[in-house]
Amino acid sequence: MLEQFARTQLLLGKENMERLSNARVAVFGIGGVGSYVVEALVRSGIGALDLIDNDKVCLTNLNRQIIATRKTIGQYKVDVARERCLEINPDVKIHVDKTFYLPETAARFDFSQYDYIVDAIDTVTGKIQLVLEAQKAGTPIISSMGTGNKINPTLLEVADIYQTSVCPLAKVMRRELKKRGVKRLKVVYSKEKVLTPIDENKNRCDTEYQQCSGRKESHDSRRQTPGSTAFVPAAAGLIISGEIIKDLSESKDMAKTKENF
């Protein structure tokens, strides 16, 4: 009988596909990187996904976020992603949380219930807290470094945070994690030199379409709006999902029973 994950099973095998089906992955940040992580994970047979974000789809998301279309502008990203996931695999379990992950909201989450955590958020304080909570729970985590103001996806790499270079966000994370005694962190980062946006003030969200609620500041009030492309965040997201599938498939004792989801 034809099965939707048959082509993946040809490469991973039945036992590994069962592991993926029993896995629960939390994706924090459903933006340019996170939306592609979710897309690839659900298409790979991950059985349960937690989607955490409080943004709504905005006109300027159309250039890079797979969940963004003219029809989804103004809708919560987690809701759009949930619907898309269920259209791909009706059996996947989806839990959405309309929250921006910050140190103040960390207590809402029990990290021990996840088999893997994806950090695809863009605030340093939130990223650090995610790493600390994952470490405390003993749950694997992979973190996305900066993908804005970059145009070469071939310069993306997977590395430990302390082996990174060039990326300004990775530099900050190295310093702050070292202060907190974090010895390792798997990340996806780019060695591409950050570009300077052209006429940045002319390329902010038009208020007619700016419907990203939940943040304290609007796009127009941010200090700097980074440039972005359709391919660098997407490539980072696909690399992250590939690492997760590889790690979960290789883990002999990964399969936790996800009851009371």
Side-chain angles (χ1 to χ4, degrees):
M1 181 177 179
L2 195 62
E3 202 269 337
Q4 77 175 86
F5 301 114
R7 294 295 184 94
T8 309
Q9 186 168 313
L10 287 174
L11 298 175
L12 300 184
K14 184 177 180 180
E15 183 179 352
N16 280 328
M17 292 308 299
E18 290 176 354
R19 288 176 179 157
L20 297 181
S21 178
N22 289 324
R24 183 175 181 179
V25 179
V27 182
F28 289 82
I30 314 299
V33 175
S35 62
Y36 275 89
V37 173
V38 172
E39 180 83 6
L41 291 182
V42 73
R43 290 186 184 276
S44 298
I46 291 294
L49 289 165
D50 285 51
L51 314 178
I52 301 95
D53 201 318
N54 198 39
D55 258 344
K56 292 181 179 180
V57 178
C58 169
L59 182 71
T60 60
N61 298 151
L62 290 171
N63 81 317
R64 68 193 183 283
Q65 298 184 16
I66 198 167
I67 57 171
T69 68
R70 291 280 174 161
K71 289 183 179 179
T72 63
I73 288 175
Q75 298 180 38
Y76 281 101
K77 293 179 180 179
V78 292
D79 289 340
V80 177
R82 179 181 183 276
E83 182 178 349
R84 185 177 176 90
C85 287
L86 291 173
E87 289 178 349
I88 296 168
N89 179 14
D91 295 324
V92 66
K93 296 177 181 178
I94 304 290
H95 178 265
V96 302
D97 197 322
K98 297 182 178 73
T99 304
F100 285 126
Y101 187 86
L102 296 167
E104 308 90 84
T105 59
R108 293 170 56 113
F109 302 92
D110 175 9
F111 280 50
S112 65
Q113 65 188 325
Y114 306 130
D115 293 298
Y116 220 108
I117 297 163
V118 177
D119 159 30
I121 62 177
D122 56 9
T123 59
V124 173
T125 55
K127 295 175 88 68
I128 292 171
Q129 192 67 38
L130 274 174
V131 175
L132 296 177
E133 295 297 334
Q135 183 182 62
K136 188 189 305 181
T139 303
I141 182 171
I142 185 168
S143 185
S144 174
M145 296 294 102
T147 59
N149 293 332
K150 296 174 183 179
I151 59 174
N152 189 346
T154 67
L155 293 178
L156 288 163
E157 295 184 8
V158 178
D160 182 81
I161 186 65
Y162 296 110
Q163 301 302 316
T164 58
S165 61
V166 182
C167 176
L169 177 55
K171 180 179 180 180
V172 173
M173 291 292 289
R174 287 198 306 270
R175 182 182 69 238
E176 296 303 320
L177 292 176
K178 185 176 182 179
K179 289 179 184 177
R180 293 161 174 80
V182 175
K183 295 183 178 180
R184 64 183 64 87
L185 172 66
K186 181 184 281 193
V187 303
V188 172
Y189 82 106
S190 174
K191 287 185 176 179
E192 182 179 1
K193 183 178 179 181
V194 175
L195 302 176
T196 301
I198 302 169
D199 293 330
E200 186 264 335
N201 287 330
K202 296 180 181 180
N203 291 285
R204 298 179 184 271
C205 283
D206 189 307
T207 54
E208 180 182 353
Y209 293 99
Q210 170 52 36
Q211 301 182 52
C212 312
S213 67
R215 294 184 185 272
K216 292 182 179 179
E217 79 281 4
S218 68
H219 284 275
D220 288 331
S221 66
R222 295 179 191 175
R223 183 172 297 177
Q224 183 185 32
T225 301
S228 61
T229 63
F231 36 88
V232 175
L238 295 176
I239 291 170
I240 287 172
S241 60
E243 287 296 305
I244 294 170
I245 298 303
K246 174 175 68 70
D247 290 347
L248 292 181
S249 298
E250 292 174 352
S251 177
K252 300 293 185 183
D253 58 350
M254 184 283 302
K256 301 177 182 177
T257 302
K258 295 304 172 188
E259 298 176 354
N260 304 317
F261 179 76

